[in-house]
Amino acid sequence: MNRRDVWSGMTLAGVSMLAGLPAWAQGPRISRLVIVGGAEDRLQDRIILRKFADYSGGSPARIRVITAASGDPEGVWQSYQNAFKSIGVEDVQRLAIDDRESAHALSLQAEILQADGIFMSGGDQSKLMDTLWDTPAYQALHQSFHFNRCCIGGTSAGAAVMSRHMIAQGPAVLRPSKEAVDTDIGLGLLSQAVVDQHFSERRRLARLLSTLAMRPDLLGVGIDEDTALVIERGEAMEVIGKGTVTLVDPSQMQSNVNELETLEAIEMLGVQLHVLPAGHRYSLQTLAKSAGSAPLRRAIERLVAVGPIRG
């Protein structure tokens, strides 16, 4: 069944699977997403991976890695295993998600629900979603994030799948163009945004604008390489690493996209853009006290909004 045609909400019956709830989840920890623009440092300072490990519970954390998007899953797994162990995480294992059949294994569901942190590698986001879509592993990822407060991270393709409306493929067009981008359905951990990665390095602003012209109900998120957007669900966002996160808000946009033929250049008026450099944290509580920050606050409210549980 095509993901474009089906998007169903999961009932709370799955809560019975929470027998594997991590011990720390009884405390005040909040759910976080660590969305990486790709090419994160795994050999030197490892700033992003260190923060991901910290958010997952530090050196005692049970970190699991999904490499299903990669064309070289074993090689990528070895790279992440070495990186996490080098920063003091001992319990790091690869989740055996190799195809749709493996994504139905009961043992895999238990591993996902017992994890403190789950990190998805780069590769091909469509391949990753073809493997996960509408499987018990997909449901377990939602349960782990929403109920167990597991930290879920992803880089490149693993970042693209975070949103419900996912950029599947499309060239880095020179200017916003109608239907220049192919989209599909992702994991849906972000319910009101669409993510693009390698953003500045591959000059993808026009690609993201092309996507938003067709879906002005979404917030656009562009993340540079070796940079991560950290979302504290319902509370705040933070930018870590070396680059910037670009938020593109088309909610007040006027566009002629419906009058155009495929690949014609689009007129887009009233688009709001926010460029947020690494080293900054933006909380809704703080922004509410600043009269001049209303547009940014509205964008971040959508970004950190608690979305539905999918499955």
Side-chain angles (χ1 to χ4, degrees):
M1 188 171 290
N2 194 302
R3 295 195 301 276
R4 295 178 189 270
D5 303 323
V6 178
W7 188 260
S8 58
M10 190 181 76
T11 69
L12 297 186
V15 179
S16 62
M17 298 179 67
L18 298 183
L21 185 69
W24 56 256
Q26 302 298 331
R29 185 178 299 242
I30 63 174
S31 297
R32 283 187 175 90
L33 298 175
V34 179
I35 310 173
V36 189
E40 73 284 356
D41 172 24
R42 297 177 227 166
L43 298 175
Q44 298 179 17
D45 295 336
R46 306 178 185 88
I47 294 170
I48 292 172
L49 295 182
R50 286 181 189 276
K51 292 287 280 188
F52 175 79
D54 288 345
Y55 290 142
S56 299
S59 56
R62 293 169 287 189
I63 290 180
R64 302 295 178 259
V65 180
I66 296 175
T67 60
S70 176
D72 178 22
E74 287 300 327
V76 169
W77 156 236
Q78 288 299 321
S79 175
Y80 281 107
Q81 182 184 40
N82 293 339
F84 280 118
K85 284 188 174 293
S86 71
I87 59 178
V89 178
E90 290 300 322
D91 189 357
V92 53
Q93 300 177 32
R94 175 179 174 266
L95 291 175
I97 304 176
D98 302 308
D99 50 35
R100 288 188 59 81
E101 182 178 358
S102 63
H104 284 78
L106 289 175
S107 59
L108 177 67
Q109 296 174 60
E111 285 190 74
I112 291 173
L113 290 171
Q114 292 167 8
D116 300 316
I118 297 172
F119 194 89
M120 298 176 287
S121 78
D124 182 340
Q125 53 262 42
S126 294
K127 178 184 176 185
L128 178 56
M129 286 309 303
D130 286 343
T131 301
L132 288 175
W133 170 250
D134 202 26
T135 65
Y138 170 86
Q139 297 173 8
L141 284 168
H142 268 266
Q143 291 177 349
S144 188
F145 176 69
H146 286 283
F147 297 126
N148 294 17
R149 298 190 287 279
C150 178
C151 182
I152 297 184
T155 184
S156 191
V161 301
M162 293 286 191
S163 53
R164 174 183 178 183
H165 191 71
M166 175 186 81
I167 295 176
Q169 61 180 355
V173 293
L174 292 176
R175 58 193 62 86
S177 305
K178 183 174 181 178
E179 298 174 354
V181 180
D182 291 333
T183 60
D184 207 334
I185 289 177
L187 288 177
L189 297 173
L190 286 178
S191 61
Q192 299 183 39
V194 59
V195 175
D196 209 348
Q197 353 77 310
H198 307 281
F199 195 67
S200 294
E201 292 77 10
R202 299 186 186 179
R203 294 166 173 79
R204 284 181 166 172
L205 177 58
R207 182 169 98 156
L208 184 57
L209 287 168
S210 300
T211 304
L212 296 172
M214 305 299 294
R215 288 296 304 265
D217 56 312
L218 298 175
L219 179 73
V221 180
I223 308 176
D224 292 351
E225 292 181 357
D226 201 17
T227 306
L229 166 63
V230 179
I231 293 177
E232 301 172 11
R233 189 176 68 166
E235 296 187 17
M237 61 156 283
E238 179 184 8
V239 184
I240 59 176
K242 296 184 178 179
T244 63
V245 169
T246 302
L247 302 183
V248 184
D249 186 353
S251 59
Q252 305 300 314
M253 177 188 69
Q254 297 180 19
S255 169
N256 66 342
V257 66
N258 293 327
E259 304 167 10
L260 303 177
E261 300 294 330
T262 299
L263 298 183
E264 283 193 294
I266 306 168
E267 179 183 67
M268 302 176 70
L269 309 178
V271 177
Q272 293 183 328
L273 185 145
H274 310 279
V275 179
L276 312 177
H280 291 259
R281 182 176 182 274
Y282 305 86
S283 74
L284 294 181
Q285 184 176 11
T286 300
L287 290 172
K289 300 175 182 177
S290 173
S293 65
L296 178 60
R297 186 182 73 248
R298 288 194 296 268
I300 294 177
E301 282 175 345
R302 300 175 64 194
L303 191 60
V304 305
V306 179
I309 303 167
R310 304 290 183 176

